[in-house]
Amino acid sequence: MAALKEFLKTTIIGGLMFLVPVILVLVILGHAMRLAAKIAVPIAEQLAFTQVAGVTVATIVAALVLMILSFLAGLVARTGPGRRLSRWFEDSLLGSLPQYRMVKTMADGLTQVEGASNIKPALVSIEGGWQIGYVLEVVRDGWIAVFLPQAPTPMSGNVMYMPAERVRPLQMPIGEAMLLIKRLASGPPVR
């Protein structure tokens, strides 16, 4: 009985720790959309049409306003004071949220991998089959360090050292290989 009580307690607390930041982000986005709508509604009223593909023009304009504001905020964030403010905000508030840290780590990793010119996609022979991987470096004596991602997350997986004859470089950009890995998780297309 005590084990069940402990399981329920930790599961509920874990669920709350997950839901509170998610709900907070959704509430903030909701407020941001309402503020953007105050700007968007007068603009949308000037247009001759009210809907595009079932979505109101005001909603589309509000989303565009948010994107423009995000772009401008990004420009400010590139300045010295902007970087210091961003670092302070992350260290004092967002850094304690596990979901924020996870998303930030994944985004940073994705940016680094897509921007890295030395990481190349390849087919790697594993257990009689072939898997898409990334060549990290040619070590020596005919060995290659490869990263084998797990679908659908192209940034999680294992690093392995493989004989060169079991690695076949692919002629595609790393971003295309990552997209292919994401698609592999959904299985073959239904016909």
Side-chain angles (χ1 to χ4, degrees):
M1 187 68 178
L4 178 62
K5 183 178 176 181
E6 185 64 24
F7 169 76
L8 290 174
K9 179 179 143 186
T10 57
T11 303
I12 290 170
I13 291 171
L16 285 173
M17 294 300 290
F18 175 78
L19 286 176
V20 168
V22 170
I23 291 170
L24 183 63
V25 167
L26 291 175
V27 167
I28 291 170
L29 283 175
H31 284 294
M33 279 299 283
R34 280 193 289 283
L35 288 172
K38 289 181 181 180
I39 298 169
V41 168
I43 296 170
E45 288 174 351
Q46 300 299 317
L47 299 174
F49 46 94
T50 59
Q51 285 195 348
V52 175
V55 179
T56 65
V57 172
T59 302
I60 295 169
V61 173
L64 288 172
V65 167
L66 282 179
M67 287 194 306
I68 291 168
L69 288 175
S70 296
F71 178 77
L72 294 174
L75 288 177
V76 170
R78 291 173 157 263
T79 66
R83 280 194 296 271
R84 285 190 295 276
L85 179 63
S86 179
R87 202 174 309 114
W88 172 83
F89 192 65
E90 282 185 6
D91 292 343
S92 63
L93 300 174
L94 295 175
S96 63
L97 301 174
Q99 292 80 4
Y100 174 77
R101 287 192 314 243
M102 180 184 73
V103 169
K104 181 162 176 38
T105 301
M106 287 176 62
D108 289 346
L110 184 61
T111 302
Q112 289 173 358
V113 168
E114 286 187 329
S117 59
N118 58 337
I119 299 177
K120 305 287 185 204
L123 285 176
V124 182
S125 176
I126 302 288
E127 298 175 5
W130 294 89
Q131 178 178 339
I132 294 177
Y134 315 134
V135 173
L136 301 176
E137 68 176 310
V138 176
V139 184
R140 61 185 144 116
D141 298 329
W143 288 88
I144 299 177
V146 295
F147 178 77
L148 298 171
Q150 297 174 342
T153 311
M155 296 304 300
S156 67
N158 301 309
V159 174
M160 295 183 73
Y161 293 93
M162 305 295 293
E165 62 269 7
R166 291 180 54 187
V167 179
R168 294 185 184 164
L170 294 172
Q171 300 302 318
M172 69 171 56
I174 191 76
E176 190 176 323
M178 294 172 89
L179 186 60
L180 184 60
I181 291 164
K182 289 179 187 177
R183 288 184 182 155
L184 286 174
S186 61
V190 179
R191 296 183 193 243

